[in-house]
Amino acid sequence: MRVAVAGGTGVVGRLVVGELAAAGHEPVVLARSHGVDLLTGEGLDAALAGVEAVIDVSDRKAVSRGRAVAFFGSVSRNLLDAGARAGVHHHVALSIVGIDRVGHGYYQGKLRQEEVVRGGRVPWTVLRSTQFHEFVPQTLQQMPGPVAVVPRMNIQPVAAREVARHLVELALAPPRGMAPELAGPRVELLVDLVRRLLHARHERRLVVPVRLPGAVGAAMAGDGQLPAGAGPRGSRTFDEWLAGTVTRGA
């Protein structure tokens, strides 16, 4: 089966491509480095020739609401319009748990993505996932220096590889609309994960937990980013992921 992966060069995208290839399918990477511009649609029609399903894991680190909404809205429309022209049977989009409860600018972009997918001409599935384990080092990267100011946040992190495997399973199955939310095996405090990561790296930095103001901060510190109901759960814990990451780094 020929399956296109939008954002196939990213953290999750590379894993999705690998899962497809390992299962004997033909992955088609949709990215600028492969001659496809998701924002303008250039190269999409040619790339989607013979494609039966599309998995959209495209991403852009746009914090502001306007930029996030514009990016995810444009990319989703381009993928769905080109997919309809090419006869794609199934469009699968990766989204985030809690985006309708946490009024973050980036999350507004993901909500726009879901809205466009629901209104498109291609049968669809949307998978909402909790943050990946990689979210923790990404948080640290945003705050270089001796002090790391970390928002008070409850998360239930999941291994990116498990997310990729689940996306492939969904893409190969009939469209199902909103799929049950995917989360990791346990609820964690982000600040605790940051400290464990620093300890594993033998880095000495002062970690300062801060509650963000307003409704956004309250939702993050509460259960706003945790799954609201039953659904699939990953098995790999953050500590298991961290041990493997540190070993590979060494």
Side-chain angles (χ1 to χ4, degrees), residues 101-142:
R101 289 173 280 154
V102 181
H104 190 272
Y106 179 80
Y107 286 4
Q108 298 303 305
K110 298 300 288 184
L111 281 172
R112 178 57 178 159
Q113 178 186 29
E114 292 185 4
E115 178 185 349
V116 173
V117 169
R118 287 195 300 270
R121 293 179 288 161
V122 179
W124 58 275
T125 299
V126 169
L127 173 66
R128 287 185 176 181
S129 167
T130 53
Q131 285 78 13
F132 312 139
H133 296 318
E134 288 82 358
F135 177 71
V136 181
Q138 289 170 357
T139 299
L140 272 177
Q141 289 172 5
Q142 296 173 8

Side-chain angles (χ1 to χ4, degrees), residues 1 52 65 94 96 109 123 133 161 163 171 215 239:
M1 182 173 175
E52 297 182 54
R65 179 186 184 278
L94 177 61
I96 306 173
H133 296 318
R161 184 171 297 279
V163 176
D239 289 329

Side-chain angles (χ1 to χ4, degrees), residues 26 53 157:
E26 181 185 356

